[in-house]
Amino acid sequence: MEPRVGGRLAFDDGEGTVYAATITHFDPPRLFAFDEHDPDGKEREFDGHLRIELRGEGAGCLLVLTHVMADPSIADSASGGWQTCLEELVAQLEMPG
C-alpha cells in the first residue's frame, strides 16, 4: 500500500485473485477511500468506490462504510461479504487486550 492520495494498493481475495485500487482520500485515522479496479480490466462489475469513515459519537465513534458499485446487480453478494467482514471486526474489537 502507498498511503497517500493517488497511491496504489492491492487486495488478495485468498482465492487466487488480486484486486488493484487507487486511494482517493487519505486522512488517518478518520477517512480512507479508494477506487477498486477489476484485475483484468474487463469486468466492470468488480469496479467500485469504497469509503471508510470514522466519526466521533459520544464516548466512541461511528463507522460509516459506503460501497458504490459500478454494477449494482452484485449488491446482494457484496452485502453478504461485508456482513461477514463487519462481524469479524466486532469480534476483534470485543477481544480482551
Side-chain angles (χ1 to χ4, degrees):
M1 179 172 124
E2 300 169 350
R4 61 179 171 75
V5 172
R8 309 285 279 160
L9 65 149
F11 298 96
D12 186 335
D13 70 0
E15 297 177 8
T17 303
V18 176
Y19 297 89
T22 304
I23 298 170
T24 59
H25 296 84
F26 190 73
D27 184 17
R30 292 173 188 81
L31 177 61
F32 180 57
F34 55 90
D35 289 330
E36 187 176 33
H37 315 291
D38 168 49
D40 298 322
K42 298 175 188 169
E43 299 183 52
R44 291 270 309 143
E45 70 263 19
F46 294 110
D47 290 354
H49 178 75
L50 285 97
R51 180 181 175 98
I52 303 162
E53 187 174 359
L54 297 176
R55 298 179 186 165
E57 185 169 285
C61 70
L62 174 69
L63 171 80
V64 179
L65 171 68
T66 305
H67 184 179
V68 179
M69 297 164 235
D71 181 355
S73 72
I74 67 165
D76 286 341
S77 64
S79 67
W82 281 119
Q83 183 68 36
T84 300
C85 290
L86 294 171
E87 288 170 358
E88 180 61 26
L89 176 61
V90 168
Q92 292 292 320
L93 291 172
E94 291 176 344
M95 289 179 64

